[in-house]
Amino acid sequence: MALVKPMTNFGNVTTPKFGNTRSSSSGKWSTMIRMSSSSSTKKGKGTPKKAIKETLLAPRFYTTDFDEMETLFNTEINNNLNQAEFEALLQEFKTDYNQTHFVRNKEFKEAADNLQGPLRQIFVEFLERSCTAEFSGFLLYKELGRRLKKTNPVVAEIFSLMSRDEARHAGFLNKGLSDFNLALDLGFLTKARKYTFFKPKFIFYATYLSEKIGYWRYITIYRHLKANPEYQCYPIFKYFENWCQDENRHGDFFSALMKAQPQFLNDWKAKLWCRFFCLSVYVTMYLNDCQRTAFYEGIGLNTKEFDMHVIIETNRTTARIFPAVLDVENPEFKRKLDHMVEINQKLIAVGESDDIPLVKNLKRIPIVAALASELLAAYLMPPIESGSVDFAEFEPQVVY
């Protein structure tokens, strides 16, 4: 699953050129994720634990109405299911193109040892957040594969194979943490993290966007570093070209699921919800990344230009299936995103102040209201009517 998950609380732009920007500091509200030292190969009960902060906008774990899912994909009830398309997708997943792709070498540890100072901690946070996101997908897909086995074995097997991909990604990222003498305690995460409940149609919208935006993030970073190898400071990025194809296939599967449930795409409510999830995913990514500009600058990217490129390409891809999308290529949309970043920085500053909790909460009220107002204004911008899978103008464009 992608590196970002949607928030649940709330004229044309040219293709950007990537470059360096001045660094900026970032703070965050935080919770704690349990990490363990991996300095030894065997873990015991006395293994020391380290806590790493994660932001309020961190990757989420999801659950859904599994009974409704079983009904949706019951072949005896739903005549819209295109089993031939699902069979073809199943064969694609069974091929397992990346079965031997995620093989590490000595470059990983050597590169990690060469990363020192603030950049080292930034990479640890990147690996931890990415691993959490992938593991979240693994848990959801695994349970869907188990629950749908009797109702629709083909769809169930696809979910199981996608959970295989997500587990592979999470394991590869966790191995990366071992280069920094850390390991994410995935068992602890499974039990300790709060799960966000989404109805099945919301799972489809959110996960489709998550997979497709993940594809565009990975392929853009890969192509940028291939063109600018001097910024290739850690070898995990070399794996992104094949890796992103897993994300793309997962997104294509969710596209097929939505086409099999036309009630999720063909009315005015679907248009409103699709716009909401687009806004939620895009804003979450933008705010998250603008808190971590040092990471993107470390690999030679301008954070905001990178994000806008990813948003634009994801939106063009999404317009092939969603009945309505945001007009993200309107310059006003980016201005609103930048204003949200400024507001979010004020929220962060309040959270990091020495004021007592009551005073902090009082100070947050007008700031949260301003953020909500900006979100609503972005949501109410005239949308782009879309939804045809045959729209040639929305075919993905090559980054370079």
Side-chain angles (χ1 to χ4, degrees):
M1 197 173 282
L3 301 179
V4 293
K5 306 291 173 186
M7 293 187 299
T8 53
N9 300 327
F10 344 155
N12 294 338
V13 177
T14 58
T15 301
K17 296 179 181 179
F18 302 121
N20 285 320
T21 59
R22 286 184 290 179
S23 62
S24 62
S25 60
S26 63
K28 35 198 172 288
W29 300 352
S30 63
T31 55
M32 307 306 285
I33 290 295
R34 182 177 293 181
M35 302 285 288
S36 64
S37 169
S38 60
S39 56
S40 61
T41 56
K42 294 184 180 180
K43 297 180 182 179
K45 293 183 179 179
T47 302
K49 301 292 181 181
K50 292 184 68 177
I52 284 187
K53 292 184 179 181
E54 72 167 325
T55 69
L56 189 64
L57 298 174
R60 296 177 181 271
F61 282 20
Y62 294 107
T63 186
T64 190
D65 185 336
F66 294 104
D67 291 334
E68 184 182 345
M69 280 286 193
E70 290 179 18
T71 301
L72 289 173
F73 295 105
N74 188 318
T75 54
E76 297 178 0
I77 298 175
N78 191 339
N79 296 323
N80 291 314
L81 294 177
N82 187 341
Q83 285 299 110
E85 183 175 9
F86 289 133
E87 289 279 4
L89 284 167
L90 176 58
Q91 294 308 311
E92 183 83 0
F93 280 101
K94 281 184 174 179
T95 303
D96 196 7
Y97 297 101
N98 287 334
Q99 183 177 15
T100 60
H101 178 62
F102 295 93
V103 178
R104 287 163 49 86
N105 54 48
K106 64 179 183 179
E107 287 184 51
F108 282 82
K109 183 61 177 172
E110 293 173 356
D113 291 342
N114 289 330
L115 286 172
Q116 299 298 328
L119 191 58
R120 182 180 179 88
Q121 180 56 38
I122 290 168
F123 267 82
V124 167
E125 185 181 347
F126 161 73
L127 292 169
E128 181 268 329
R129 289 175 58 83
S130 301
C131 183
T132 302
E134 299 286 356
F135 188 65
S136 167
F138 159 73
L139 292 175
L140 176 64
Y141 296 161
K142 181 182 178 182
E143 184 63 15
L144 283 168
R146 187 182 70 83
R147 292 293 296 266
L148 297 175
K149 192 172 292 185
K150 293 182 179 179
T151 305
N152 194 318
V154 174
V155 171
E157 188 171 1
I158 294 175
F159 273 118
S160 295
L161 292 175
M162 291 202 305
S163 74
R164 169 205 67 194
D165 296 342
E166 301 290 308
R168 186 180 287 158
H169 301 164
F172 194 66
L173 289 158
N174 214 8
K175 281 286 188 181
L177 282 167
S178 71
D179 297 326
F180 298 87
N181 301 316
L182 293 167
L184 191 61
D185 191 337
L186 298 178
F188 172 79
L189 270 182
T190 305
K191 299 174 183 177
R193 286 298 291 268
K194 292 182 179 179
Y195 285 72
T196 300
F197 177 85
F198 272 1
K199 291 176 66 65
K201 69 176 179 180
F202 300 150
I203 287 287
F204 295 162
Y205 300 150
T207 310
Y208 172 82
L209 280 165
S210 178
E211 298 288 5
K212 287 300 183 180
I213 209 167
Y215 166 79
W216 280 110
R217 286 172 67 87
Y218 287 159
I219 196 61
T220 303
I221 290 173
Y222 173 82
R223 289 170 175 165
H224 163 71
L225 292 176
K226 186 177 181 180
N228 302 276
E230 66 273 19
Y231 291 108
Q232 186 73 258
C233 54
Y234 189 67
I236 200 167
F237 302 117
K238 296 178 182 178
Y239 293 73
F240 274 14
E241 183 179 35
N242 285 35
W243 189 332
C244 75
Q245 296 307 324
D246 284 343
E247 311 291 339
N248 207 28
R249 278 187 287 272
H250 295 182
D252 290 343
F253 173 59
F254 276 97
S255 178
L257 293 183
M258 287 187 283
K259 285 190 291 182
Q261 307 295 334
Q263 71 274 22
F264 295 161
L265 298 171
N266 63 6
D267 63 12
W268 63 271
K269 289 184 289 185
K271 290 183 178 182
L272 294 177
W273 280 117
C274 286
R275 286 163 57 193
F276 169 80
F277 277 95
C278 283
L279 181 64
S280 179
V281 168
Y282 300 160
V283 170
T284 299
M285 182 184 74
Y286 205 81
L287 296 184
N288 264 326
D289 289 353
C290 285
Q291 292 181 44
R292 297 170 177 81
T293 55
F295 170 77
Y296 297 96
E297 291 165 6
I299 57 175
L301 288 170
N302 177 304
T303 307
K304 290 184 176 181
E305 290 181 357
F306 165 72
D307 272 19
M308 283 309 301
H309 174 74
V310 170
I311 288 171
I312 289 169
E313 295 299 341
T314 302
N315 205 59
R316 289 174 177 174
T317 302
T318 301
R320 301 170 66 191
I321 185 67
F322 278 16
V325 294
L326 303 174
D327 186 6
V328 300
E329 298 183 58
N330 183 335
E332 181 61 25
F333 183 78
K334 184 178 185 301
R335 281 194 287 271
K336 292 185 183 303
L337 287 179
D338 288 337
H339 191 209
M340 290 181 213
V341 170
E342 295 173 5
I343 296 170
N344 192 49
Q345 287 171 344
K346 293 178 181 178
L347 274 176
I348 292 168
V350 170
E352 292 182 338
S353 70
D354 295 328
D355 294 328
I356 61 173
L358 177 61
V359 173
K360 286 185 179 182
N361 289 333
L362 290 173
K363 287 184 176 180
R364 283 178 180 137
I365 292 173
I367 303 174
V368 170
L371 181 58
S373 176
E374 203 65 50
L375 283 166
L376 181 61
Y379 180 76
L380 294 177
M381 287 177 64
I384 296 175
E385 300 289 325
S386 55
S388 172
V389 294
D390 299 320
F391 277 0
E393 62 265 35
F394 291 116
E395 288 294 325
Q397 302 296 311
V398 177
V399 178
Y400 297 103

